[in-house]
Amino acid sequence: MLSIALPEDDAGVVFSACATRTKSVVKRAALLAQRAWVEERAALYIEHAQQNSLHAFAPDDRVDIEAAELSGVYGRVLVKGGERPTYLRLKGLARYGRCPLCAQRDVKTLDHYLSKDDYPELSVFPANLVPCCFDCNHEKGTYRPQHANQRLFHPYFDDWSQHSLIQASLNIGEGVTVTYSVQHPEGVDLEVVTRARRHFRKLNLGQLYSDNAAVELVDKKLSFQETFDADGPEGLQDEMEREARSRWRRNRNSWQCALYTSLSLSDEFCGGGFERIDDP
């Protein structure tokens, strides 16, 4: 869950640029006639987003133009047509090319925070277009919250970087496995935690993070063993603490930060439990 600076593009300018590239004279005129309404709706979107009330921003069906004509400019013009440079620029807003919704996979597309099925007039509105990976886009689908605490993380309007929300739980048995969840740190508003849990479940981040942690443990097993052999349990614990601090600096809600924090707190793991990690 990584925040991104809000795009400064003017809603009317982007919409008109896309509409102007429509070949049919009749359809082009019909689209351009909607500019004032699109600008009005975009302004309401920003207002609701800034007030944390996008769940209360109701769709507004038009009778003078087909919804498919409004939403169609996204794929036809923004993604594949003459306005593709804008599409690529918006994709590039994510730092290091990482999906802000999962903070793990590469950005491959743009997600409509409010779906273009329900809000076709916002289909090319930059503030509604979030760079993301294919998996998060697919898992989110056309999800639409009905209540405030059902809203998923919005990278342009939410910043949870000051909260340590992601928690890793270590399970040492015949092997070593890691499960992830969203914790409720002291002092963090319950609505933020509830939303984070909804986001976590909807995008299936627990499975993603557990799978990545499993690979990380296998890759690091030899390193754990060598540190343990050289410096004992205390040395391994110190190394896990250093790793956690290092990961925390970039993203305190990364699966890596949560993993190494959990490893550093486990006397069983640092005392030799790491030997139960699967071999490559």
Side-chain angles (χ1 to χ4, degrees):
M1 297 172 284
L2 302 171
S3 60
I4 303 176
L6 178 67
E8 297 181 354
D9 304 71
D10 181 270
V13 171
V14 175
F15 177 77
S16 291
C18 290
T20 299
R21 294 183 181 275
T22 299
K23 293 181 179 180
S24 168
V25 175
V26 174
K27 290 182 178 181
R28 181 167 65 245
L31 285 167
L32 289 172
Q34 305 301 318
R35 174 169 176 165
W37 175 60
V38 168
E39 290 176 328
E40 177 186 340
R41 294 288 287 168
L44 285 172
Y45 177 101
I46 294 293
E47 181 180 331
H48 277 286
Q50 292 175 336
Q51 296 176 358
N52 296 318
S53 61
L54 273 179
H55 62 285
F57 182 46
D60 182 11
D61 297 329
R62 298 286 279 190
V63 296
D64 55 342
I65 189 170
E66 293 289 334
E69 289 299 325
L70 288 165
S71 62
V73 296
Y74 173 74
R76 186 179 72 249
V77 182
L78 195 69
V79 178
K80 300 179 181 179
E83 291 303 313
R84 184 167 175 80
T86 299
Y87 172 84
L88 295 174
R89 176 170 55 79
L90 293 174
K91 278 180 59 181
L93 292 176
R95 195 175 186 187
Y96 308 124
R98 285 292 179 265
C99 172
L101 302 183
C102 66
Q104 176 58 34
R105 294 177 290 236
D106 293 340
V107 167
K108 295 295 183 182
T109 186
L110 295 177
D111 171 71
H112 291 81
Y113 187 83
L114 295 182
S115 78
K116 63 180 183 295
D117 290 350
D118 292 328
Y119 301 85
E121 73 278 13
L122 302 176
S123 64
V124 294
F125 178 37
N128 190 45
L129 299 174
V130 176
C132 71
C133 65
F134 283 132
D135 294 81
C136 284
N137 194 323
H138 175 75
E139 293 289 349
K140 179 174 173 290
T142 58
Y143 178 80
R144 181 179 158 203
Q146 300 298 313
H147 304 285
N149 61 9
Q150 293 178 342
R151 290 174 294 129
L152 304 185
F153 178 76
H154 197 318
Y156 296 143
F157 297 96
D158 292 315
D159 183 0
W160 297 344
S161 61
Q162 70 273 29
H163 307 313
S164 295
L165 298 168
I166 303 301
Q167 176 178 264
S169 298
L170 196 62
N171 308 289
I172 302 177
E174 293 184 2
V176 179
T177 59
V178 185
T179 56
Y180 284 84
S181 61
V182 174
Q183 63 180 342
H184 188 172
E186 183 178 354
V188 178
D189 189 84
L190 178 59
E191 184 175 293
V192 169
V193 175
T194 303
R195 289 182 58 202
R197 286 173 175 163
R198 171 80 59 158
H199 182 94
F200 191 82
R201 291 194 302 270
K202 179 62 180 173
L203 301 185
N204 197 27
L205 299 187
Q207 188 63 56
L208 171 65
Y209 295 168
S210 291
D211 289 345
N212 282 315
V215 174
E216 179 80 357
L217 291 175
V218 171
D219 285 348
K220 288 282 194 174
K221 183 176 182 179
L222 179 59
S223 176
F224 298 153
Q225 184 70 64
E226 291 177 345
T227 301
F228 180 84
D229 291 344
D231 302 312
E234 294 81 7
L236 182 56
Q237 186 174 39
D238 288 344
E239 181 62 25
M240 298 303 94
E241 289 177 352
R242 281 192 292 271
E243 283 284 354
R245 290 196 302 271
S246 179
R247 310 289 181 154
W248 186 90
R249 291 180 67 248
R250 185 178 71 84
N251 176 16
R252 69 175 62 184
N253 283 305
S254 70
W255 64 265
Q256 298 100 323
C257 179
L259 171 65
Y260 284 105
T261 297
S262 180
L263 297 182
S264 73
L265 295 173
S266 174
D267 291 338
E268 183 179 5
F269 180 86
C270 295
F274 64 86
E275 294 178 350
R276 300 184 188 180
I277 298 172
D278 291 341
D279 289 318

